[in-house]
Amino acid sequence: MLSSNLLGYPSPVRLDVVMQVLTRMFHTKSITVSGKLMITALVSNCALGVIYTYRPVLKCSSEMSCLAKFISLFQDFSQKIQAAFQILSELPRLEHKSWQLSCYHYYEIFGFRMICLFFGLTSLVLGEADSLDKHPQPTWETQKEVQSFSFSIPAPRGQIMDCHGDALAQNTLSFNLALQFPTPLHLTDKQVLAFAKEYITFAKGLLQQPISLSEKAIVQHYHRRGLLPLDLIEDLSPAQLSIARSGLPSSLIIRQTYRRFYPEGELASHIIGYTGRVAPLSVRDIENKDLIFPESEGREGIEQIFDNQLKGCPGSIANTYDENGQKNSQRITRRPIAGNNVVTTLDKNLQFICEKVLRENCKQGAIVLLDPNTGEIKAMASYPEFNPNDFVPMINAELFEKLNKDPSCPLLPRAFRSAYPPGSSFKIVVGLTALQEEIITPKDTFRCPASLEIGNFVFHNWKQTDVGKLNFAQAFTQSCNTWFYQCGLKTKAEPIILWAHRLGLGQRTGIPMRGEAQGNIPDNQYMLHMHHRKILSGDIANMSIGQGDILTTPLQMAQLSGILAARGKFHQTRLIKQIQTPDNKVIAAYPDRIREDLQLKPEVLDTLFQAMIDVTEDAQGTAHRAQVEGIHVAGKTGTAQWGPQNKQRTVAWFTGFAPANHPQYAFAAVYEGERGDNRIHGGSHAAPLIGKVLNEIYGKNKTANDCNQGKVQKNNSVKQLVEDDNATGD
């Protein structure tokens, strides 16, 4: 806003009027020499105020030209100024001969006269000054005096890339058909609409595409931003562009803009996110440094979190116009600088495999793959997915409503924003705690009955027969619930809670994604708050099989498996590798960092690893469908009921790592069952997802039963019966 408070007045026009009055006073014979010195000082201050207030706006070549221009602007005030001075000159003269005043008193009295002059003059020219400058912003009305305008050119956003440098989000040139209004901008609203409708009708017929612009939007653009083109059709197709280039009337133009483009479509959409257009510029009057076309901003995912890094530095373009608003010249004074590139840890090929497996084998689910040796997330897939290109530049209202009302929630990143009860996959934590704290040994046994009475409740096993006595590896392989009830009660709640937290559960992993679910590991404080009691034996029983109030995300479970695969070294889970300039200069890096070394006992890890391998390879195991030829897969299945009682659903889990002897990938898979479908189990639905992913990775096309047939025939006579039974268990 153009204003100056140099002399205490809010309007810049009055400053210049006062300056002229003081100049005229200087030439009045009745003013003494000392008075003229005072006026000279005031005139100098006024002139400086004029120069430094207006020179940047009027583009004056020098201070003197700026001052000269302003003096010429206010010649119309001369008559009023003279009248004001005549009134003031007739004030009683205070310099009476009988007064013997010192020079100091003389200046004081003269200063008082100057104050009277300022306020008197201001009251006289107030109305005229306000009529000349009602809106001190640099609108077109002020800019046409100087015949120039400076606009900003949006910078292209930086790319989002996978770990190999393949683009997941980039920019492409877009060609828009736009309407250029005639200048000067003196049309009435009726004339504006008639003009616009004529060319809109022509464009619709030429390009065979509907154009929906409200009359309000057209009129608003004309009055506020009429110098700039009004886009009619955005992102012309190649065919439309060819037709448009063959011949358009002068008022229809083709202009280039940037468009965000996601070359892989739905791939990693929940991680990359999407962009949207910044609030329309047409809501306010045109100003210097306004953008020549709207820029985009991140609305979700990496696009949102790293928006400042992805945005570049805008360029600048100077336009000059004649007095009628016709553009005389255009010059780029500063070229835009592209934003920085964000390099993720994702592997595009692995991400594609995981999403393909989910798409072909479930309606709702998630798969996470990470490198246990570095903590880097290699794939993090959620299904169903969406196409972020649909959001560029703005998503269709009908499509957005459809996505929001879809019961499968395609906009939900299940891999890190959804938390589920982990079911029997939590037995990894219970077994590790009991062994690490030496509460049990690998050789200790408990019975595995069909049910167990604890307090006033009866807790059941998923098998309906008494299996007999089992040690840890056997109970873990068969996923015997009643064995783990007893193990958990002997271990007690506090150590289990402690180790769950040390393994990263009940807390966010720290990836730079908004809305990451924290999960929940209930302790006494939580139980008092939610249930008004402390943890009881029944709660420990539920905790021992991953039920009750325990919640974990697929990402957290993959992270847990990664810690085990790294033999207790907790690498910080990472999604971003580095940020680099367009010329590949790294400006921020996120290297591998070990959060904690859990100091797990080697004998404990060996026992646990063998039990996890047996889950996939032993005849009594529950995850035969995760087998891969030539490698050992270590894992644990889980099945849990999830959601409110009237909408309860079943969730199936499989988590672990592979190859077991030299882990390259830690993983977690979740399969969401539909309401009322009780056929969902970890062994039958989640384990096959990982089996298919690993077979794709290692290039094997054989089925799980074929590729490890020799391993699962330790008890050939009961193999088929056990496998079918276990697959429908955990």
Side-chain angles (χ1 to χ4, degrees):
M1 182 175 180
L2 300 180
S3 63
S4 175
N5 291 320
L6 185 60
L7 296 179
Y9 296 102
S11 172
V13 175
R14 297 169 208 163
L15 177 65
D16 307 289
V17 175
V18 170
M19 183 199 69
Q20 292 187 55
V21 172
L22 293 175
T23 304
R24 291 176 182 273
M25 287 176 60
F26 185 85
H27 299 289
T28 303
K29 294 181 180 180
S30 60
I31 300 300
T32 63
V33 174
S34 58
K36 290 185 177 183
L37 290 174
M38 176 72 76
I39 293 173
T40 301
L42 290 171
V43 169
S44 299
N45 283 337
C46 290
L48 288 172
V50 170
I51 291 168
Y52 290 106
T53 300
Y54 292 100
R55 186 183 176 192
V57 178
L58 295 185
K59 313 289 186 185
C60 296
S61 59
S62 67
E63 286 82 354
M64 291 305 296
S65 64
C66 182
L67 189 55
K69 179 170 285 190
F70 265 96
I71 290 174
S72 67
L73 289 177
F74 297 105
Q75 288 178 347
D76 294 339
F77 287 134
S78 59
Q79 292 181 353
K80 290 186 178 181
I81 292 170
Q82 291 175 5
F85 183 74
Q86 181 65 31
I87 294 171
L88 293 170
S89 65
E90 294 177 1
L91 289 173
R93 294 186 62 82
L94 299 181
E95 301 91 337
H96 196 274
K97 292 182 180 180
S98 61
W99 294 0
Q100 301 296 323
L101 299 175
S102 65
C103 184
Y104 173 80
H105 291 147
Y106 184 88
Y107 289 153
E108 186 177 12
I109 292 170
F110 189 83
F112 175 75
R113 177 180 286 183
M114 291 300 99
I115 293 173
C116 293
L117 172 64
F118 276 20
F119 283 99
L121 176 63
T122 299
S123 63
L124 286 172
V125 301
L126 178 62
E128 192 69 25
D130 284 345
S131 68
L132 284 182
D133 190 14
K134 292 181 180 179
H135 303 287
Q137 281 85 1
T139 62
W140 167 243
E141 290 302 317
T142 59
Q143 288 298 319
K144 71 180 182 181
E145 294 291 342
V146 294
Q147 304 174 345
S148 68
F149 229 103
S150 178
F151 296 107
S152 293
I153 308 172
R157 289 175 71 83
Q159 298 185 78
I160 300 175
M161 300 183 287
D162 81 341
C163 62
H164 303 299
D166 292 330
L168 301 173
Q170 57 186 190
N171 307 295
T172 184
L173 276 179
S174 176
F175 297 90
N176 297 350
L177 181 68
L179 175 63
Q180 183 70 66
F181 288 104
T183 54
L185 303 175
H186 293 160
L187 298 180
T188 64
D189 289 358
K190 186 176 181 180
Q191 291 172 326
V192 169
L193 292 174
F195 177 85
K197 287 180 179 178
E198 176 185 352
Y199 286 99
I200 288 174
T201 302
F202 175 84
K204 287 163 65 175
L206 180 68
L207 301 179
Q208 296 298 304
Q209 180 169 331
I211 299 174
S212 57
L213 274 175
S214 68
E215 293 184 350
K216 179 181 178 181
I218 295 171
V219 172
Q220 186 180 64
H221 179 93
Y222 179 81
H223 287 300
R224 293 181 174 177
R225 315 188 69 77
L227 286 180
L228 297 178
L230 172 64
D231 286 330
L232 302 180
I233 302 176
E234 296 184 348
D235 196 30
L236 296 173
S237 68
Q240 289 175 325
L241 183 61
S242 177
I243 295 173
R245 280 176 169 167
S246 63
L248 287 174
S250 59
S251 292
L252 288 177
I253 62 172
I254 298 172
R255 65 171 185 160
Q256 295 181 6
T257 64
Y258 303 122
R259 181 181 178 89
R260 199 60 163 167
F261 177 61
Y262 303 94
E264 302 297 336
E266 293 88 352
L267 189 75
S269 56
H270 295 101
I271 303 171
I272 299 169
Y274 51 85
T275 61
R277 179 177 293 166
V278 178
L281 296 171
S282 59
V283 298
R284 58 174 173 76
D285 292 339
I286 191 171
E287 296 180 6
N288 259 321
K289 298 185 180 180
D290 271 355
L291 296 169
I292 58 174
F293 57 84
E295 64 180 348
S296 60
E297 62 183 0
R299 297 287 177 82
E300 181 61 274
I302 293 174
E303 291 276 28
Q304 182 183 35
I305 296 298
F306 291 90
D307 189 55
N308 290 334
Q309 289 84 354
L310 290 165
K311 281 184 177 178
C313 181
S316 182
I317 186 169
N319 292 351
T320 58
Y321 302 86
D322 62 21
E323 64 276 5
N324 294 320
Q326 292 284 355
K327 185 164 63 175
N328 289 335
S329 66
Q330 186 176 73
R331 181 171 60 91
I332 295 177
T333 58
R334 185 180 67 250
R335 294 191 176 278
I337 301 173
N340 295 317
N341 299 327
V342 176
V343 182
T344 70
T345 62
L346 297 175
D347 185 314
K348 184 178 74 172
N349 296 324
L350 295 177
Q351 183 75 22
F352 176 82
I353 291 171
C354 291
E355 292 188 13
K356 175 175 176 286
V357 168
L358 286 171
R359 185 165 50 250
E360 294 176 352
N361 295 277
C362 75
K363 293 184 178 180
Q364 297 148 45
I367 297 175
V368 178
L369 288 182
L370 58 80
D371 184 343
N373 305 299
T374 63
E376 292 184 350
I377 298 172
K378 293 302 178 184
M380 187 162 58
S382 300
Y383 187 79
E385 56 214 343
F386 65 94
N387 191 335
N389 288 307
D390 293 333
F391 287 81
V392 180
M394 294 176 64
I395 189 170
N396 178 279
E398 294 180 2
L399 177 58
F400 188 65
E401 183 179 11
K402 180 181 177 182
L403 290 171
N404 275 319
K405 291 186 176 181
D406 190 329
S408 64
C409 302
L411 297 178
L412 176 64
R414 288 171 163 83
F416 63 88
R417 201 172 285 175
S418 290
Y420 312 84
S424 290
S425 61
F426 192 75
K427 291 172 183 175
I428 295 173
V429 178
V430 177
L432 177 68
T433 303
L435 292 168
Q436 182 73 12
E437 298 293 334
E438 299 182 353
I439 295 169
I440 65 170
T441 69
K443 294 182 179 180
D444 287 346
T445 61
F446 296 105
R447 293 196 62 82
C448 182
S451 62
L452 190 68
E453 186 174 337
I454 301 173
N456 298 324
F457 297 92
V458 176
F459 291 79
H460 296 273
N461 187 21
W462 67 272
K463 286 186 176 181
Q464 298 180 358
T465 59
D466 189 328
V467 181
K469 286 188 175 184
L470 302 175
N471 61 26
F472 167 75
Q474 293 169 331
F476 189 91
T477 301
Q478 299 180 39
S479 198
C480 176
N481 290 342
T482 47
W483 191 98
F484 276 90
Y485 296 147
Q486 299 169 76
C487 179
L489 289 169
K490 186 173 182 179
T491 305
K492 301 188 183 306
E494 289 76 11
I496 298 174
I497 294 170
L498 173 64
W499 277 98
H501 284 304
R502 293 191 70 185
L503 290 165
L505 302 184
Q507 54 193 304
R508 296 179 181 89
T509 64
I511 62 170
M513 300 294 284
R514 291 187 178 176
E516 182 188 2
Q518 180 175 322
N520 185 48
I521 300 297
D523 54 14
N524 278 323
Q525 184 178 359
Y526 170 88
M527 296 299 289
L528 284 169
H529 178 72
M530 296 299 297
H531 302 290
H532 310 293
R533 58 176 174 79
K534 292 185 177 182
I535 294 176
L536 302 176
S537 56
D539 300 315
I540 298 175
N542 271 331
M543 183 184 296
S544 300
I545 62 167
Q547 296 274 17
D549 289 7
I550 295 180
L551 293 172
T552 61
T553 69
L555 177 58
Q556 287 174 337
M557 293 304 290
Q559 177 181 257
L560 181 151
S561 294
I563 297 170
L564 296 179
R567 302 191 71 84
K569 287 184 172 57
F570 191 162
H571 293 265
Q572 172 62 49
T573 300
R574 293 177 296 135
L575 180 61
I576 304 300
K577 219 174 171 62
Q578 61 195 36
I579 299 173
Q580 59 190 41
T581 61
D583 58 355
N584 297 324
K585 180 182 178 181
V586 177
I587 59 175
Y590 305 90
D592 181 20
R593 177 174 67 87
I594 296 179
R595 285 178 52 177
E596 184 182 1
D597 188 342
L598 302 186
Q599 300 292 319
L600 298 179
K601 299 172 183 176
E603 61 273 18
V604 171
L605 287 172
D606 292 342
T607 299
L608 184 59
F609 282 16
Q610 187 56 55
M612 294 177 73
I613 293 172
D614 288 345
V615 168
T616 63
E617 297 183 2
D618 188 84
Q620 299 289 331
T622 59
H624 298 151
R625 298 181 188 181
Q627 294 173 0
V628 178
E629 182 180 9
I631 67 170
H632 296 287
V633 178
K636 183 69 189 79
T637 56
T639 308
Q641 282 64 51
W642 167 59
Q645 193 68 34
N646 60 336
K647 297 181 180 179
Q648 198 168 77
R649 298 159 66 185
T650 301
V651 59
W653 285 88
F654 185 58
T655 186
F657 51 88
N661 56 335
H662 185 67
Q664 292 177 292
Y665 303 106
F667 54 76
V670 162
Y671 183 109
E672 285 186 21
E674 296 186 82
R675 192 187 309 174
D677 188 354
N678 297 320
R679 300 170 300 171
I680 308 301
H681 301 282
S684 60
H685 290 77
L689 298 178
I690 295 299
K692 292 177 185 295
V693 168
L694 294 178
N695 272 290
E696 287 275 355
I697 291 173
Y698 292 104
K700 308 300 180 183
N701 297 316
K702 296 183 179 180
T703 63
N705 288 336
D706 292 337
C707 64
N708 280 289
Q709 188 172 8
K711 299 176 185 176
V712 298
Q713 288 188 346
K714 295 178 181 177
N715 190 349
N716 191 53
S717 60
V718 295
K719 171 185 175 296
Q720 191 61 49
L721 176 63
V722 170
E723 184 172 323
D724 291 343
D725 186 29
N726 290 351
T728 58
D730 241 350

